[in-house]
């Protein structure tokens, strides 16, 4: 959480006005503070971050993700953190699982654990969904504990019931928590792969001043990053990917679609954090798998990708923390 106070990890130039290109929708206007966000003042964005984002942005035809074109509008995750907004994103998630996920013969009978990289992809995306579900449940509980309460007209008023429905073993996705852990392991492996690049950014001042660097260094030195067991997910994915490298473009195409479908989210705070989480997962897949199943050159990873990767790891960690407390 302390890491998210640093400008490097909390500021993102994000297109909040992009149109939905995937699902016919009725316009939903959000007039409440809970789902609206606003750009920070221009002087609050360090010049080096803005310049770096402009310099690094490029069009890659077959990349793992395609982040929004940088502009002068930056949004702050510290100012607008994850929250329970009451927005119903089920239509978006149904589209993601049914239309972007894999459902061919390679995963027939077991869409999450078949012996194929397509099942691994489905598992990682399900883990992303589980992380968001955990955020929703946590947000509900925090509103109740604060005395603010929940809208009685909302279909969701009981955090425990929502946990059981969304994340419980008898819920809509019995594998949700398992998939959450799978995604977390991929993110940990990716942060480990990016560690030297992040330390380099510490040394050259990109992360921030000495105080900022001292926040990040202990995280990069944490023993968990070097724990052999966390490599199980990335090793499984690389093994599967190396057996079918000529078709990995199908995964890259889907992560780009996963990013773009976030423009269909009509709660701006949800859209903002959905894009960050999607970019974080896409960056993890880029670092773990790359184009040939062996990872990629970490020096080519952009600032916004590294920031999203580390922040998304934190989001997954908080999701797992909630699940452990609920079990």
């Amino acid at each position: 959480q302390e890491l998210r106070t640093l400008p490097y990890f909390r500021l993102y130039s994000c297109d909040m006005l992009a149109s939905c290109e995937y699902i016919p929708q009725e316009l939903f206007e959000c007039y409440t503070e809970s789902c609206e966000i606003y750009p920070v003042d221009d002087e609050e964005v360090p010049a080096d971050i803005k310049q770096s984002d402009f310099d690094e942005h490029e069009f890659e035809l077959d990349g793992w993700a395609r982040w929004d074109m940088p502009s002068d509008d930056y949004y702050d995750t510290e100012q607008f953190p994850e929250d329970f907004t009451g927005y119903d994103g089920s239509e978006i998630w149904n589209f993601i699982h049914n239309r972007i996920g894999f459902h061919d013969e390679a995963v027939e009978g077991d869409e999450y654990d078949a012996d194929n990289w397509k099942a691994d992809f489905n598992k990682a995306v399900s883990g992303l969904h589980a992380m968001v579900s955990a955020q929703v449940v946590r947000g509900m509980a925090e509103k109740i504990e604060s005395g603010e309460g929940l809208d009685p007209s909302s279909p969701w008023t009981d955090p425990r019931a929502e946990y059981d429905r969304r994340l419980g073993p008898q819920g809509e996705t019995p594998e949700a928590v398992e998939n959450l852990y799978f995604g977390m392991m991929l993110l940990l492996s990716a942060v480990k792969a990016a560690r030297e690049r992040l330390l380099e950014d510490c040394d050259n001042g990109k992360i921030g001043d000495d105080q900022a660097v001292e926040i990040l260094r202990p995280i990069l030195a944490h023993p968990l990053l070097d724990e052999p067991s966390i490599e199980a997910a990335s090793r499984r994915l690389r093994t599967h990917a190396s057996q079918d490298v000529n078709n990995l473009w199908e995964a890259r195409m889907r992560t780009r679609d996963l990013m773009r479908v976030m423009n269909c989210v009509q709660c701006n705070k949800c859209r903002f954090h959905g894009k960050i989480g999607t970019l974080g997962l896409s960056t993890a897949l880029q670092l773990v798998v790359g184009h040939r199943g062996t990872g990629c050159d970490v020096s080519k990873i952009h600032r916004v990708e590294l920031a999203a990767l580390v922040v998304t790891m934190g989001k997954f960690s908080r999701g797992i923390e909630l699940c452990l407390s609920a079990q």
Side-chain angles (χ1 to χ4, degrees):
Q1 287 301 104
E2 192 176 11
L3 194 68
R4 288 181 54 168
T5 65
L6 306 181
Y8 187 101
F9 294 102
R10 65 182 173 86
L11 293 172
Y12 300 84
S13 181
C14 187
D15 185 357
M16 301 306 300
L17 300 176
S19 299
C20 175
E21 302 172 348
Y22 293 84
I23 306 169
Q25 293 180 308
E26 292 184 11
L27 183 62
F28 168 78
E29 294 287 354
C30 181
Y31 295 110
T32 66
E33 281 189 21
S34 63
C35 65
E36 198 53 84
I37 65 173
Y38 305 95
V40 300
D41 293 335
D42 191 55
E43 60 269 18
E44 294 183 40
V45 184
D48 57 338
I49 285 181
K50 185 176 290 189
Q51 190 61 52
S52 177
D53 289 348
F54 272 77
D55 291 344
E56 291 178 344
H57 190 274
E58 60 183 349
F59 176 81
E60 185 179 358
L61 182 63
D62 191 25
W64 278 97
R66 196 168 292 150
W67 184 249
D68 296 333
M69 185 76 70
S71 70
D72 289 333
D73 287 342
Y74 275 75
Y75 298 86
D76 187 345
T77 59
E78 186 76 359
Q79 184 178 357
F80 298 104
E82 304 91 328
D83 190 13
F84 175 67
T85 65
Y87 173 72
D88 183 356
S90 58
E91 180 184 35
I92 311 300
W93 283 113
N94 286 338
F95 182 91
I96 289 170
H97 291 303
N98 295 332
R99 304 299 296 275
I100 294 179
F102 288 98
H103 301 285
D104 58 23
E105 65 279 359
V107 296
E108 189 174 359
D110 198 342
E111 62 179 344
Y112 297 131
D113 289 305
D115 190 18
N116 190 284
W117 63 263
K118 294 181 178 180
D120 299 336
F121 179 90
N122 288 346
K123 198 173 186 72
V125 172
S126 176
L128 180 68
H129 189 181
M131 178 271 288
V132 173
S133 293
Q135 287 181 354
V136 170
V137 173
R138 180 188 295 276
M140 292 176 67
E142 288 176 348
K143 281 188 180 294
I144 293 173
E145 289 168 8
S146 70
E148 181 179 350
L150 302 174
D151 183 350
S153 66
S154 170
W156 312 315
T157 56
D158 182 351
R160 180 73 238 184
E162 283 307 304
Y163 177 87
D164 292 340
R165 180 175 74 85
R166 297 166 184 256
L167 296 163
Q170 307 302 319
E172 294 174 352
T173 307
E175 306 90 345
V177 173
E178 176 187 327
N179 296 346
L180 178 66
Y181 275 97
F182 182 83
M184 181 63 173
M185 287 192 288
L186 288 178
L187 289 159
L188 286 166
S189 294
V191 170
K192 179 182 178 181
R195 179 163 50 189
E196 292 306 316
R197 164 65 189 282
L198 286 164
L199 289 171
E200 182 182 313
D201 282 359
C202 285
D203 294 337
N204 61 27
K206 290 184 178 180
I207 297 296
D209 58 19
D210 290 345
Q211 184 178 2
V213 167
E214 289 310 307
I215 294 174
L216 178 58
R217 285 188 184 278
I219 295 173
L220 297 178
H222 196 285
L224 184 60
L225 291 179
D226 296 303
E227 169 59 46
S229 62
I230 71 159
E231 296 294 333
S234 58
R235 186 167 54 247
R236 165 178 153 170
L237 178 53
R238 278 194 294 264
T239 298
H240 288 153
S242 65
Q243 298 167 357
D244 191 26
V245 293
N246 291 331
N247 289 314
L248 289 178
W249 64 267
E250 295 183 53
R252 296 190 292 275
M253 177 182 68
R254 281 166 167 79
T255 53
R256 297 194 299 272
D257 282 331
L258 188 60
M259 176 66 72
R260 294 273 71 84
V261 81
M262 291 298 155
N263 288 328
C264 298
V265 176
Q266 298 193 63
C267 159
N268 281 342
K269 184 182 288 186
C270 309
R271 176 187 293 204
F272 178 48
H273 284 281
K275 285 189 173 188
I276 293 171
T278 299
L279 182 62
L281 181 61
S282 299
T283 303
L285 292 170
Q286 183 177 354
L287 284 162
V288 168
V289 181
H291 277 62
R292 306 297 297 176
T294 56
C296 73
D297 181 357
V298 70
S299 68
K300 295 182 178 179
I301 302 295
H302 301 166
R303 191 283 308 185
V304 69
E305 294 172 325
L306 288 170
L309 172 68
V310 175
V311 167
T312 303
M313 181 180 69
K315 290 175 180 286
F316 271 70
S317 177
R318 294 194 77 204
I320 289 172
E321 184 181 68
L322 177 127
C323 292
L324 288 173
S325 67
Q327 290 174 352

